[in-house]
Amino acid sequence: MTNETLNIWTHLLPSWYFMWRFMATLCMVDFWNDSYSWPLLVYLSTSFIYPFASSCAHTFSSMSKNARHICYFLDYGAVNLFSLGSAIAYSAYTFPAMLVCTTFHHYFVSLAVLNTILSIGLSCYSRFLEIQKPKLCKILRILAFAYPYAWDTIPIICRLFSSSEGSSGEAANPYHQKHTVIAILACFLYAAHLPERLAPGLFDYVGHSHQLFHVCVILATHLQMEAIFLDMTLRKEWLLATSIPPSLSQTAGAICLCIIFSLINILYFSVALYQTPEPELQKKET
């Protein structure tokens, strides 16, 4: 039992649950012949990859200093991949009526791809500042995760405050509301280090902020998934009549492009690890 034990399990078990949802949907939906369902396939595939990558990072990060950094490089890549998967699903199923087929809608996924690539680079770079500039490291990492989420959330916020949605749109709104509130709570816990900063030592194994952050993120993902399923089903007829069906380039193409650039980013920063002198050694030499 260590401070990482529950960090591992709070993401490992949910990753299998989300994989089960993915496989169950795969058996029920004809993805080969129905382009309308492609964004759902992309979203569901990223939903179980990110908690699995996180659990692996928490499991194997103790192998060595460089292994720790590389594990979290991969973790950050998976988290940002999920952010892009969410953007693709939102673009296809959840956009408010007033924004469908607008310029913002047309470029939403493209800019989400750019956000994802930049976010991975920024979050990986922040790990090089952990010892020398810990405050700047924390700020950059929070910014790297918060900015893509804020971009993804714009159509949801617009929709929740819009009065133009019909009954089909209103059915999923409570799930979107709960998802947004819990996601904000997760960001707060990640940044504030509560409750362990109020009682140092008491929450080392159970109940510290990163465990609560994991639980909130998983709960938010579950609520988001339910909302997307509802939107996809109840708004299908209206969406097919008013918007252009998602293309292969907007779904699989966007994800593949992001994966390629993410791997390049991770490889670059991994190589840089072995070329960067230890901060402690630098201090001793001076």
Side-chain angles (χ1 to χ4, degrees), residues 21 42 45 57 108 118 131 138-139 152 193 203 212 216 250:
R21 293 290 301 267
V42 168
S45 63
F108 181 73
L118 293 175
I131 296 176
K138 191 70 175 180
I139 292 171
D152 290 354
H193 293 291
F203 301 99
L212 300 178
C216 286
Q250 292 174 318

Side-chain angles (χ1 to χ4, degrees), residues 146-266:
Y147 173 65
Y149 174 76
W151 174 260
D152 290 354
T153 308
I154 291 174
I156 302 300
I157 299 300
C158 291
R159 174 171 160 175
L160 293 178
F161 286 96
S162 172
S163 59
S164 60
E165 292 295 319
S167 57
S168 60
E170 292 175 355
N173 281 354
Y175 289 98
H176 287 302
Q177 291 170 349
K178 294 173 186 175
H179 160 251
T180 303
V181 170
I182 294 175
I184 292 172
L185 175 60
C187 292
F188 171 76
L189 291 170
Y190 182 82
H193 293 291
L194 292 172
E196 67 269 17
R197 69 187 303 172
L198 302 178
L202 184 61
F203 301 99
D204 286 353
Y205 297 112
V206 180
H208 59 74
S209 60
H210 203 82
Q211 292 170 2
L212 300 178
F213 165 72
H214 275 201
V215 172
C216 286
V217 165
I218 292 301
L219 182 56
T221 302
H222 170 69
L223 292 168
Q224 180 191 47
M225 190 175 293
E226 295 301 322
I228 288 173
F229 270 110
L230 277 173
D231 283 334
M232 176 192 177
T233 304
L234 299 178
R235 304 178 85 208
K236 182 175 183 179
E237 184 177 348
W238 179 80
L239 286 169
L240 290 176
T242 57
S243 62
I244 302 172
S247 65
L248 193 63
S249 63
Q250 292 174 318
T251 51
I255 282 291
C256 289
L257 182 65
C258 182
I259 290 173
I260 292 170
F261 277 96
S262 298
L263 291 175
I264 292 172
N265 254 324
I266 292 168

